[in-house]
Amino acid sequence: MTPENPSGVCEHRVVLASGEVRWQQWSDTARFDAGGRAIEFQSVGRDITARKLAEQNLRESERRMRHLVESAGVVPYTWDIEGKRYSYIGPQVERLFGHSPEQWIDTAKWLQILHPDDRARVECRLREFLRQPFDGSMEYRMLRPDDSVVWVRDIIQIETDENGRRVGYGTVVDVTDSKQREGQLLQAQKMEAVGQLTSGIAHDFNNLLMIVTVNLDMLLPRLDPEDTLARDLVEGALAAGVDGGELTRQLLTFARKQPMQAMPIDLNALVTRSVGLLRRMLGKIVDIEMELAEDLWPIESDPAQLEAALTNLAINARDAMPMGGRLAIATANLHFEARGATADAELKPGDYAVLTVADSGSGIPPDIIGRVFEPFFTTKAIGKGSGLGLSMIYGFAKQSDGHVEIESEVDRGTTVRLYLPRTTRAPEPAPVVARRSEPAAAAGELILVVEDNDTVRKSVVRQLQKLGYRTLEAGDGQEALAVLERDPRIDLLFSDVVMPGGMSGRQLAAAVRRRRPDIKILLTSGFPDKAGDARAGERKEPMLGKPYRQRDLALKLREILQTETV
């Protein structure tokens, strides 16, 4: 201490005899004579332990709050209402959003880094706020320096500080993940709704195709063999009916209503077998490369639908490379864990075999890539595609308890990955296609036809009578049971699966089995697994999918009627 500075304060800790540590503060004052010599000292000591602990707790609380705010993806800021500008922005803004606090505080710069599609909306809201500040929140997108997009929720509350000035205290929260999950949920709901719609359309369309196909099948042998034009017209119409049936099957696959003939499959063997056909189909302008993983896990799926999916992907790739290019087909094993779920949130944890098909074609613009799995959506020219190929693959993947994802870049190509669950069952050998035999003649058996659509029922009855069968009719399950009680001569029940009146074809079949176990049963439907009401343990009945040709019906009936009843 000196005459110029006669006072001083110091703080220190002391250890009491008990071992307790206390904080003390000493305030010292000195008095000097005319010559500048210290002639008196006064020292006052105080115990400031409580204050020191309060300060320490405050610092710890601030540290925890700062850690919480920074780890939660939240940026605090302060808005100077009178100055109409930011007066403070948290330093974590640079780590979270890639822009320095100085860039954010500069309102003009902040407006520039807004997503172009949101800029007009945010500017309008900002003008309203500047005219009359108010509490509120809004969501908008920002562009990071690497051009990636981040969604934020901007929340502000107006308060009055200790000086009586109105201040806006706000936070900016990164909500990108929740927006992505929300988008995935909305997309899943939309696809489910579209699936329900398409399955209903397919069911009704199949009934119409049934009427057309049955009548044309019956008309064809009645034509004059010399009238080649008439025969060509009918055969062309029949071929169109068969093609229409294929379209409905694709729709039902998308809607996950098409029954799967699942079996253990060696995916590498299936790909190798398919590529031989694809090379001839795609031509020499497309170079096919294969990279098949060793020790690939077996999968359990429908081989026909899987081959159709691979073929559809190859055709899409060819159409995207009109001048030729490269098609890469690869397989790999993947163990997927829940904690890795981000963009793949629809993929369940587990083991998968992954089929990847990548091309070097024109790619898909980012504004439409989210719609490519929708039925009838296509970027191809009119008449060049139905828009059902990728829809069928989407439905097949979901029905297989798997997942499909697509990545694309304009002028750089498209990559599709199909994830199929691993199975512990050993793969079965490829099925041998048997030569189709001619159906044996009917022996006058009596068939009960159950169909709620009057026109379809009458067409089927005429078809059966032409094949040599006797027929009875019923419009629903209850009527069919009443007919069954009255007539003991019935040899076979031929019933639609989807019917009104509270009893489906499967339920009718179960009731018939209990009453008349000797009767043979054949079910038919445009979407056969709709009646998933069969209880565990009930017998799985033979099925004939609509629409069907007369020859297919004849073969199926003889196969069932000539089989011994179990």
Side-chain angles (χ1 to χ4, degrees), residues 372-383:
V372 295
F373 293 124
E374 297 178 12
F376 303 115
F377 179 82
T378 179
T379 58
K380 298 177 183 178
I382 295 176

Side-chain angles (χ1 to χ4, degrees), residues 79-87 105 107 130 165-167:
W79 178 265
D80 182 350
I81 290 179
E82 291 185 8
K84 297 183 178 180
R85 62 182 181 84
Y86 291 101
S87 57
I105 286 174
T107 307
L130 293 178
R165 292 167 54 90
R166 297 182 72 209
V167 179

Side-chain angles (χ1 to χ4, degrees), residues 23-62:
W23 274 94
Q24 290 185 348
Q25 182 188 73
W26 293 93
S27 300
D28 298 326
T29 303
R31 190 162 62 85
F32 298 88
D33 62 14
R37 290 178 299 175
I39 58 175
E40 183 178 274
F41 287 95
Q42 182 180 16
S43 186
V44 179
R46 291 189 301 153
D47 186 313
I48 59 170
T49 304
R51 193 195 79 192
K52 281 292 186 180
L53 288 175
E55 291 175 353
Q56 180 181 346
N57 289 338
L58 179 61
R59 286 194 299 272
E60 179 64 20
S61 177
E62 290 175 344

Side-chain angles (χ1 to χ4, degrees), residues 30-262:
R31 190 162 62 85
F32 298 88
D33 62 14
R37 290 178 299 175
I39 58 175
E40 183 178 274
F41 287 95
Q42 182 180 16
S43 186
V44 179
R46 291 189 301 153
D47 186 313
I48 59 170
T49 304
R51 193 195 79 192
K52 281 292 186 180
L53 288 175
E55 291 175 353
Q56 180 181 346
N57 289 338
L58 179 61
R59 286 194 299 272
E60 179 64 20
S61 177
E62 290 175 344
R63 187 189 68 79
R64 286 198 300 267
M65 181 59 69
R66 184 171 58 254
H67 173 73
L68 177 63
V69 169
E70 292 181 0
S71 63
V74 176
V75 180
Y77 68 84
T78 305
W79 178 265
D80 182 350
I81 290 179
E82 291 185 8
K84 297 183 178 180
R85 62 182 181 84
Y86 291 101
S87 57
Y88 169 78
I89 188 76
Q92 60 268 41
V93 68
E94 188 160 9
R95 177 177 60 83
L96 290 173
F97 305 133
H99 301 286
S100 68
E102 292 75 22
Q103 288 177 302
W104 190 287
I105 286 174
D106 182 351
T107 307
K109 177 64 177 177
W110 171 72
L111 289 172
Q112 290 177 8
I113 60 180
L114 288 173
H115 192 285
D117 294 344
D118 295 343
R119 194 170 296 153
R121 174 172 58 89
V122 175
E123 287 179 339
C124 179
R125 184 71 175 268
L126 179 60
R127 287 193 295 270
E128 294 175 3
F129 179 82
L130 293 178
R131 285 196 300 269
Q132 182 62 51
F134 51 86
D135 295 348
S137 67
M138 71 179 306
E139 294 181 352
Y140 52 85
R141 287 166 291 182
M142 292 174 47
L143 298 177
R144 289 191 174 106
D146 62 358
D147 289 332
S148 61
V149 176
V150 55
W151 272 97
V152 301
R153 179 178 295 121
D154 194 339
I155 308 166
I156 190 168
Q157 184 171 357
I158 309 301
E159 297 182 4
T160 302
D161 66 12
E162 62 273 12
N163 299 317
R165 292 167 54 90
R166 297 182 72 209
V167 179
Y169 295 102
T171 54
V172 178
V173 186
D174 185 345
V175 294
T176 305
D177 287 346
S178 65
K179 277 291 183 181
Q180 288 177 343
R181 288 192 294 271
E182 179 184 321
Q184 290 170 350
L185 176 61
L186 290 174
Q187 179 69 6
Q189 290 173 336
K190 180 177 74 172
M191 297 296 272
E192 185 67 25
V194 173
Q196 293 293 335
L197 175 64
T198 54
S199 65
I201 292 173
H203 174 258
D204 293 341
F205 188 50
N206 266 329
N207 276 339
L208 297 176
L209 286 174
M210 270 297 302
I211 297 167
V212 173
T213 304
V214 167
N215 290 333
L216 288 173
D217 245 339
M218 295 179 65
L219 176 63
L220 186 59
R222 293 174 176 267
L223 296 177
D224 183 350
E226 302 298 324
D227 192 346
T228 56
L229 176 59
R231 298 188 68 85
D232 287 346
L233 291 174
V234 172
E235 289 175 352
L238 270 172
V242 172
D243 290 343
E246 180 59 33
L247 285 177
T248 59
R249 278 187 285 276
Q250 289 180 313
L251 282 171
L252 291 170
T253 301
F254 166 76
R256 296 172 245 176
K257 305 296 184 183
Q258 180 73 4
M260 292 185 65
Q261 305 299 321

